[in-house]
Amino acid sequence: MFVTLFIQRLHIQELFIQRFIGTAPHPPALLGQVQGETLGRALLIAVVLITPYAIYKMRQVRAVRRAHDAAVAADAAALKAGDLTPLPALEDVIRDISYVVTEAKANGGAILVIPAQVTVSHREASDQIVDLLINDALRRSGLVIASQETTEEGRLLHCVPASPSA
């Protein structure tokens, strides 16, 4: 009985909606079709908006990869061409400063030899970088450059202990 009243009331509501509001309730199949069309349009809009940016980013990533591969190939070619005599590393010269400090304290001065061409991290270093790094290492070690001489093999730096007031 309760169910019958509920069904009748539901039927009256449907008639009211159809008669006075002028709209009929949508059947479930029609709702599914409308939602599917909306979803399809939204997907199409997303693809149209996102595709140019995705293409731009893919080209950007490929360009970075090509540049990296070219740099690696250039380094490999330079190493093959330079296999005859590798350049000395500036790291080794800076490591030798500890021996120069010991000798300078014992004798009042010592000579540090800097080769004409050196590498920093396996790449040829400019003279400005070499001067900057050598001066910094000497300053931290308590030495100053008293004189400098340039030869074919490189530069000879006469180093002396820094005065306590400096």
Side-chain angles (χ1 to χ4, degrees):
M1 180 153 172
F2 179 72
V3 175
T4 314
L5 287 173
F6 180 73
I7 292 174
Q8 287 175 353
R9 180 180 277 173
L10 184 64
H11 185 63
I12 292 172
Q13 285 178 349
E14 286 178 6
L15 286 174
F16 177 77
I17 290 173
Q18 287 177 357
R19 179 80 58 173
F20 296 109
I21 297 179
T23 60
H26 297 291
L30 184 60
L31 280 177
Q33 183 181 4
V34 170
Q35 289 175 353
E37 290 173 0
T38 305
L39 181 62
R41 272 187 259 134
L43 180 63
L44 181 64
I45 291 170
V47 166
V48 167
L49 292 177
I50 299 297
T51 299
Y53 182 73
I55 291 170
Y56 166 75
K57 279 313 238 183
M58 287 172 39
R59 287 181 179 169
Q60 188 179 31
V61 167
R62 287 181 185 153
V64 168
R65 285 182 183 166
R66 280 193 301 269
H68 175 71
D69 292 343
V72 168
D75 286 346
L79 287 177
K80 286 182 181 179
D83 277 345
L84 303 174
T85 55
L87 294 175
L90 185 62
E91 293 90 347
D92 296 335
V93 175
I94 291 175
R95 194 175 313 124
D96 291 341
I97 289 178
S98 62
Y99 301 116
V100 173
V101 170
T102 306
E103 187 176 335
K105 288 182 179 177
N107 300 329
I111 295 179
L112 177 65
V113 178
I114 303 174
Q117 293 179 329
V118 293
T119 61
V120 175
S121 299
H122 306 291
R123 294 179 185 244
E124 191 170 344
S126 67
D127 290 338
Q128 293 86 11
I129 297 292
V130 172
D131 290 341
L132 181 71
L133 293 173
I134 291 293
N135 288 335
D136 181 56
L138 289 173
R139 181 188 53 79
R140 286 185 286 117
S141 299
L143 296 176
V144 293
I145 300 172
S147 65
Q148 177 176 322
E149 182 182 341
T150 304
T151 63
E152 289 182 15
E153 295 83 28
R155 291 184 290 164
L156 305 175
L157 301 179
H158 180 69
C159 303
V160 295
S163 63
S165 62

